[in-house]
Structure formats: structure tokens, C-alpha cells
Amino acid sequence: MENLLLACCSCKVLWTFLVTVLGSASSLPVGDDSVCGAEEPAKYSIIFTGKWSQVAFPKQYPLYRPPAQWSSMLGVTHSSDYSMWKKNEYASNGVRDFAEKGEAWVLMKEIEEAGEKIQSVHGIFSAPAISSGTGQTSTELEVHSRHPLVSFVVRIVPSPDWFVGIDSLNLCQGDHWMEEVSVDLFPYDAGTDSGFTFSSPNFATIPQDTVTEITCSSPSHPANSFYYPKLKILPPIAQVTMVKIKKNKLGLPPPYLNIPAKSNEIIDSVSETPLDCEVSQWSSWGLCRGVCRQTGTKIRTRFVLLQPANNGMPCPNLDEETGCEPENCV
């Protein structure tokens, strides 16, 4: 009887232990962010820097109607249960509208619904647009131990459906928050519009494609505005920096300092991307001109499709002459 009582007591202890462990596990968010042990929320200053200059990206660089610029930033702090966008996955209707037209209403609705259903969203943040390809804009965001991930999108203007952004960057390392993180940004195609150039007309991709990174060789088409076959990789078109805001002695964060956008200004030195001249195919040969029964000449021409830049290969001759026998002589 004594052994039976000891066994029952052991079972109760084991059951209590399992209930405690399972209960604790079920209260943690799912995914990599479940290991975040930071006790208090943290605030960050997020600074977006546009590096889309004509020197770094000379091909078809938009100078007017409209000139190169950036949309406002729309971002969210969240858990691994939510995803704003992912490479090689289909963009949501909200991301499509934002990437194509800069309209944020549907994307905001998607974020709000995700927060209400599974409480995966901690906060939404936004920063003003930049009226040129180079410049800065900034805002603040707050992360929580259950919501340590940051995602955002910024539309490239003008473009068919191109954007830059971050997908689920974790600002938590073990039991503490990162002090500062900086990430180079490269262009992405939302997979919803089939244009090749910055100024391409709206031409829906049917069926919709997945989100893909645009590189110097992909899409592999000379018309692509980011097609630089002589480069190994594109230079960063933008950069984002997040700096943890330190609290003062009273435990309060310092007052927010708004950093005004800087238009028409190169933020830092950029590498010059060489751009070779591109010319059209030859025209057909013109009429043979000359005196009857003597050798005449005929000419064919071509024209410049793309002017060279940054010590790229210069344009070849645009006309060519050859000998011929005049026709219709009397």
C-alpha cells in the first residue's frame, strides 16, 4: 500500500510539472521571436536613406513626369505569426496596391485584421515621402518581447510595381535589444505588373507572379531599367538604419527629434555605374547615288537608344557607306 501511495504522489508531481511546462509554452508566440527574453519594450529611431542617384543608376533615370522619388514608408512591428511580404511568395492585395499605386488603405486594413485575429501586430509606423531619389526620412517604432520583428515597404516612384523594404527583421538578441542595425536595400518586383521600365504603362501580370528581387541581370532583358550586365551586383538603392533610443535618468525616452527630408542631395559617396551606349539596328540601305556607268554610293543609318554615362563604352558610328552600281540609268 505504501508503494502505491508513493507512486500516486509521483504521478501527481509529474502531472503538475507537465501542466506548468505546457501552459508556459502555449503562452509564448510561435517562431524565432519566442526566444526573446527582453523584459521591457524598446523604442527605435528608424532612418530611411534614399541612394537612387543618376550616378549610381544612370539607365533610364527618371528626370521628370515624375522625377525619381520615394513614397512614404509603411511598416509594422509584429510576431512571427504575421508577414507583410516575403520573397518568392505572392504579394497580398494590400502590398499590390501599395507597390503599384502607393495606396495604403487595403494594406492598413490587412494589418489591422491580423492584429485583431491573432494579436500578431504590436504597432504600425510611417514616415513621410522623399521628393527625390536621394534624401532621408525618419520616424519612431516600438518593439515588444512578443513582437520583436520589423517589416516595412517603400514604393519606388515611378515604377510598375517595384519597392524596397525589410521582411521580419528581429531586433532582439537573447535577453536584450540590439543597439543599432543598418541594412542595405535593393529593389523588389511585387509580381503584379509586367512593366520593364520605370515609366512603363500599367500592364497586369496574369497570372500573378511571386515577389522577386530585381538584380543587374534579372529580369534578363535589355529594356529592364536595372539591367547592367557588366556589374556583379547592383549598388544599394537605399539604406535603413535603426537606432535604439536610450532612456534618460527619469526612465523616459528623450523627446523625438524630427529629421527633415533632404531633397536633391547625395547622402554619401556612391560608386559610378558605367553605362555603355546602346544603338538601334541598321536601317535598310538607301538609294544608290552616282553617275551612270560609274561606281556610286549608298548609305544606311542607325540612331542612339541610350547615351553612355560614367565612362561607359562610347557610341559607334551612326552611318555607314558602301559602293554600288547606280540603277535606272539611261
Side-chain angles (χ1 to χ4, degrees):
M1 178 65 72
E2 185 176 350
N3 291 335
L4 182 61
L5 289 174
L6 288 173
C8 289
C9 289
S10 298
C11 288
K12 288 182 180 179
V13 171
L14 180 60
W15 175 252
T16 302
F17 174 76
L18 288 173
V19 169
T20 302
V21 172
L22 291 174
S24 300
S26 64
S27 65
L28 292 173
V30 178
D32 293 340
D33 47 316
S34 62
V35 299
C36 182
E39 294 183 358
E40 297 183 355
K43 280 193 173 182
Y44 283 81
S45 172
I46 178 169
I47 304 168
F48 177 88
T49 303
K51 295 187 174 184
W52 186 17
S53 68
Q54 192 172 8
V55 174
F57 300 91
K59 186 173 183 180
Q60 302 166 0
Y61 188 80
L63 296 173
Y64 57 92
R65 297 183 181 180
Q69 56 190 276
W70 299 96
S71 77
S72 58
M73 172 194 290
L74 180 59
V76 61
T77 56
H78 59 96
S79 71
S80 59
D81 297 319
Y82 172 77
S83 174
M84 174 180 275
W85 66 275
K86 280 189 179 300
K87 182 180 177 180
N88 298 327
E89 294 188 7
Y90 293 104
S92 67
N93 290 335
V95 172
R96 178 199 64 200
D97 286 357
F98 191 88
E100 289 189 13
K101 298 174 283 187
E103 297 177 358
W105 188 87
V106 176
L107 183 54
M108 289 282 292
K109 193 71 175 177
E110 292 173 352
I111 295 171
E112 291 173 3
E113 289 176 352
E116 292 173 358
K117 286 182 179 179
I118 52 179
Q119 298 183 344
S120 58
V121 173
H122 180 68
I124 301 174
F125 59 90
S126 63
I130 303 175
S131 60
S132 63
T134 59
Q136 285 185 342
T137 186
S138 65
T139 187
E140 289 184 357
L141 60 87
E142 183 180 77
V143 284
H144 185 272
S145 59
R146 289 176 178 266
H147 306 88
L149 307 181
V150 176
S151 297
F152 72 82
V153 288
V154 180
R155 181 177 181 248
I156 298 173
V157 184
S159 74
D161 60 341
W162 302 341
F163 69 95
V164 297
I166 278 181
D167 166 37
S168 303
L169 176 66
N170 195 340
L171 294 179
C172 184
Q173 286 186 326
D175 61 352
H176 67 278
W177 298 106
M178 299 173 68
E179 292 297 323
E180 181 174 342
V181 59
S182 185
V183 181
D184 287 333
L185 303 177
F186 299 89
Y188 280 90
D189 187 321
T192 60
D193 193 290
S194 297
F196 272 124
T197 66
F198 296 120
S199 58
S200 292
N202 184 31
F203 185 68
T205 302
I206 301 175
Q208 180 177 335
D209 202 352
T210 57
V211 175
T212 56
E213 184 177 353
I214 301 172
T215 70
C216 56
S217 58
S218 179
S220 183
H221 194 290
N224 177 18
S225 292
F226 286 111
Y227 186 70
Y228 296 95
K230 288 190 174 181
L231 296 182
K232 291 184 178 179
I233 60 172
L234 285 175
I237 195 170
Q239 185 182 65
V240 65
T241 301
M242 283 166 273
V243 182
K244 187 173 178 288
I245 299 175
K246 296 181 179 179
K247 296 181 179 180
N248 58 28
K249 294 181 180 180
L250 297 177
L252 299 174
Y256 173 59
L257 298 177
N258 184 33
I259 302 177
K262 302 176 183 178
S263 298
N264 301 318
E265 179 181 344
I266 301 298
I267 301 304
D268 55 5
S269 60
V270 294
S271 59
E272 294 186 353
T273 301
L275 183 64
D276 296 339
C277 178
E278 294 182 12
V279 295
S280 67
Q281 297 292 324
W282 286 110
S283 67
S284 57
W285 288 103
L287 296 175
C288 186
R289 300 181 180 278
V291 180
C292 287
R293 291 178 294 278
Q294 295 183 19
T295 301
T297 58
K298 59 182 179 181
I299 297 174
R300 63 177 182 176
T301 61
R302 56 187 174 184
F303 57 89
V304 175
L305 295 173
L306 195 63
Q307 292 287 351
N310 305 327
N311 296 316
M313 187 178 295
C315 295
N317 291 332
L318 300 180
D319 54 73
E320 188 176 64
E321 185 177 294
T322 188
C324 61
E325 293 294 332
E327 300 177 358
N328 301 324
C329 286
V330 177

